[in-house]
Amino acid sequence: MPLTPLDIHNKEFARRLRGYDEDQVNEFLDQIIKDYEAMIRENKELQNMVAASQDKLGHFSNIEETLSKTIIVAQEAADELKNNSKKEAHLIVKEAEKNADRIINDALAKSRKIALEVEELKKQATIYRARFRALIESQMELLSQDGWESLEGRESRGIEA
């Protein structure tokens, strides 16, 4: 067990002849007591400072650990968000491709339908033209026949048909 200032103060030495000067020894012991008490106070203050530093270190270690965990969670959340965004973008692209294919297929179907309608109209126009030409030709043939001339003569004479 370490010495205390009181142990030093109460220490008694045996007296001998031709021994040390008692006043000098007492003064020296008083100085030792003062220095020893100062060292004990300083040691206690240093222990308190070490304890406070350890508390702060523990606090900062907890903060560091919390920050590390927070950073890891944030990184994981960012990675998950990035992956989800990529998946969503992929789905959007796929949906857009499907819509584009559908629009193209619809447009092709309409184009084919219109092309068929145009062909049908061309055929009908050709048939109409042929019939109209035949009608005109038959009418021209009728006009060129002799029967018209005899009818024209009657009208000029006042005879009605």
Side-chain angles (χ1 to χ4, degrees), residues 3-144:
L3 286 176
T4 65
L6 189 58
D7 291 338
I8 296 171
H9 181 66
N10 292 334
K11 179 68 177 166
E12 299 259 340
F13 295 97
R15 296 177 194 255
R16 292 195 180 170
L17 191 65
R18 297 185 81 196
Y20 294 107
D21 180 4
E22 191 177 328
D23 289 336
Q24 282 183 347
V25 170
N26 286 337
E27 281 179 29
F28 184 71
L29 287 176
D30 287 342
Q31 184 63 42
I32 290 174
I33 290 171
K34 286 179 190 176
D35 290 347
Y36 196 66
E37 284 176 342
M39 300 262 301
I40 289 174
R41 275 193 303 275
E42 184 180 346
N43 189 16
K44 191 67 170 168
E45 288 174 10
L46 290 173
Q47 286 176 352
N48 289 339
M49 287 173 60
V50 166
S53 295
Q54 286 177 338
D55 286 345
K56 284 182 182 179
L57 180 62
H59 175 72
F60 289 128
S61 293
N62 286 339
I63 289 174
E64 179 186 17
E65 185 178 335
T66 302
L67 287 174
S68 293
K69 288 179 182 177
T70 302
I71 288 171
I72 290 170
V73 168
Q75 182 64 41
E76 289 172 353
D79 290 343
E80 184 176 338
L81 182 62
K82 181 180 172 184
N83 289 336
N84 288 342
S85 296
K86 283 182 180 179
K87 287 177 185 176
E88 187 175 344
H90 184 70
L91 290 175
I92 289 170
V93 167
K94 286 289 186 189
E95 187 66 27
E97 287 173 351
K98 284 180 186 177
N99 285 338
D101 288 343
R102 182 184 51 77
I103 290 168
I104 289 170
N105 289 336
D106 288 350
L108 287 173
K110 286 179 183 178
S111 173
R112 287 184 194 115
K113 183 179 176 184
I114 290 171
L116 289 174
E117 288 175 1
V118 166
E119 287 300 316
E120 182 63 29
L121 287 174
K122 283 181 181 179
K123 285 179 188 176
Q124 287 178 5
T126 303
I127 292 171
Y128 176 76
R129 288 173 66 190
R131 285 182 182 168
F132 192 65
R133 182 176 289 131
L135 177 66
I136 290 174
E137 287 174 357
S138 68
Q139 293 299 317
M140 290 294 289
E141 189 177 311
L142 278 176
L143 287 174
S144 64

